[in-house]
Amino acid sequence: MDKRILGDNLEVSAIGLGCMGMSRGFGPSGSKAEMISVVRAAVDRGVTFFDTAEAYGDNEELVGEALAPFAGQVVIATKFGFKFGSDGNIAGLDSRPEHIKEVTDTSLRRLGVESIDLLYQHRVDPEVPIEDVAGTVKELIHDGKVKHFGLSEAPAETIRRAHAVQPVTALQSEYSLWWREPEAEILPTLAELSIGFVPYSPLGKGFLTGSISESTQFDSGDIRNSIPRFAADVRVTNRAVVDLLQTIADRKGGTPGQIALAWLLAQKPWIVPIPGTRRQERLEENLKAADVELTADDLREIDDAAAQIEVQGA
């Protein structure tokens, strides 16, 4: 698989693997052994970029065990920024410097690594100046515990302030054909500062694959039950985005999901999407998106058609 550069010098595969769903968020996953098998299958197919977080249950341990045989060959990103209740659920934000250091030490132990390749602030904490956050990560980089600093869901001004203290290698935020808000201010800011962009949910949490219909029932533990964009009464309208992708896919001999990922890859050479999956067949499909070539005419057709579609639901 082709490589891309995040920030100044973090080389990763053009498509990464988001690992959250292997532990929580989308209902029951397969066994630990099955999930480790999917992660290692990704490595076999050229993926070198893996995304996890302390907030994803036991995901750091799973990812660490799966990638232990590939030390030095892969890039692991994890995140800090939350506090948790006694039940293990998120109970608020916490990016105090002392907490960042505690979480980093815990993540190092869970992942079984000597240094975290990319450490993101998971969400901006309004109670802690971003300069203090960036300065703390700068200390961790100096100490050899972290290699690169990232932000997630941060606005443009926050990115600038953080970058002035410690260069930001990557921003992770949602971005796809049905969520294009980053195009207004975020992408121009990242381009100006030479910061990479890592879109999560690049397949619209599965919707852009075409596998979700108005009759699809989600497991009770699936976060999509609480997202208005997935309400049964708007899925028919939102299907127009999938129909657009299907039209291009039919012409290219691909799938709607592959076109959605190829469209992202074509936006900027420093964009690296991290689709998540728990199935090897879907992994194979996603990674083949890197081989799909969209021409300028294809991209213009997609943009013109997408501009006529008003996606329903927050």
Side-chain angles (χ1 to χ4, degrees):
M1 181 179 292
D2 288 344
K3 298 294 195 298
R4 293 192 167 197
I5 302 295
L6 298 174
D8 288 336
N9 61 357
L10 182 57
E11 184 180 80
V12 298
S13 52
I15 297 176
L17 180 62
C19 300
M20 181 188 80
M22 295 179 177
S23 297
R24 69 187 309 170
F26 294 93
S29 62
S31 69
K32 181 179 180 181
E34 290 171 331
M35 297 303 96
I36 287 176
S37 178
V38 172
V39 172
R40 291 179 177 172
V43 177
D44 290 342
R45 287 152 182 78
V47 175
T48 64
F49 189 35
F50 297 85
D51 185 85
T52 183
E54 63 153 351
Y56 301 162
D58 64 355
N59 200 245
E60 285 182 315
E61 291 96 333
L62 187 156
V63 170
E65 181 177 342
L67 296 176
F70 310 102
Q73 304 173 43
V74 297
V75 171
I76 301 176
T78 192
K79 313 175 190 73
F80 65 85
F82 289 119
K83 58 185 175 183
F84 301 89
S86 58
D87 58 0
N89 291 322
I90 293 172
L93 299 171
D94 190 348
S95 280
R96 293 171 300 130
E98 61 269 28
H99 185 67
I100 295 172
K101 293 177 181 179
E102 291 171 4
V103 172
T104 298
D105 286 341
T106 301
S107 291
L108 286 167
R109 184 172 65 253
R110 288 173 173 168
L111 292 167
V113 297
E114 295 183 357
S115 182
I116 294 169
D117 297 306
L118 175 58
L119 183 65
Y120 294 103
Q121 182 189 38
H122 209 151
R123 291 292 184 272
V124 175
D125 186 344
E127 301 299 320
V128 181
I130 195 63
E131 289 82 2
D132 292 352
V133 173
T136 302
V137 177
K138 185 173 186 175
E139 290 179 28
L140 292 168
I141 292 173
H142 179 268
D143 293 342
K145 293 183 177 182
V146 173
K147 296 178 182 176
H148 296 272
F149 176 38
L151 297 171
S152 180
E153 293 289 354
E157 183 57 31
T158 300
I159 296 169
R160 291 183 183 280
R161 288 167 52 198
H163 192 71
V165 176
Q166 168 60 42
V168 177
T169 294
L171 174 79
Q172 181 178 138
S173 293
E174 184 167 1
Y175 183 39
S176 71
L177 254 179
W178 81 336
W179 181 254
R180 300 180 65 171
E181 188 176 276
E183 294 174 350
E185 294 185 6
I186 296 301
L187 291 185
T189 300
L190 300 182
E192 176 190 338
L193 300 177
S194 297
I195 297 171
F197 189 39
V198 179
Y200 73 77
S201 296
L203 295 171
K205 295 181 175 64
F207 193 84
L208 300 183
T209 66
S211 62
I212 297 172
S213 71
E214 58 272 22
S215 61
T216 299
Q217 297 290 316
F218 298 118
D219 181 86
S220 60
D222 195 309
I223 59 174
R224 289 172 290 191
N225 286 311
S226 63
I227 299 176
R229 192 163 287 199
F230 284 90
D233 61 342
V234 300
R235 288 185 209 167
V236 174
T237 301
N238 290 341
R239 184 82 187 181
V241 183
V242 178
D243 293 341
L244 164 61
L245 293 170
Q246 186 67 63
T247 298
I248 307 298
D250 289 343
R251 193 160 69 228
K252 296 290 183 178
T255 66
Q258 288 171 343
I259 301 303
L261 291 173
W263 177 84
L264 272 175
L265 291 170
Q267 299 310 299
K268 302 290 181 183
W270 35 265
I271 286 179
V272 178
I274 50 168
T277 186
R278 298 174 291 195
R279 297 159 47 195
Q280 290 204 26
E281 59 268 28
R282 186 68 77 181
L283 172 70
E284 299 273 5
E285 177 185 334
N286 291 343
L287 298 184
K288 288 178 181 176
D291 299 324
V292 175
E293 293 186 15
L294 296 177
T295 66
D297 287 341
D298 292 330
L299 294 169
R300 189 160 40 248
E301 178 181 348
I302 292 171
D303 283 341
D304 289 347
Q308 305 304 313
I309 300 171
E310 184 176 350
V311 178
Q312 302 296 306

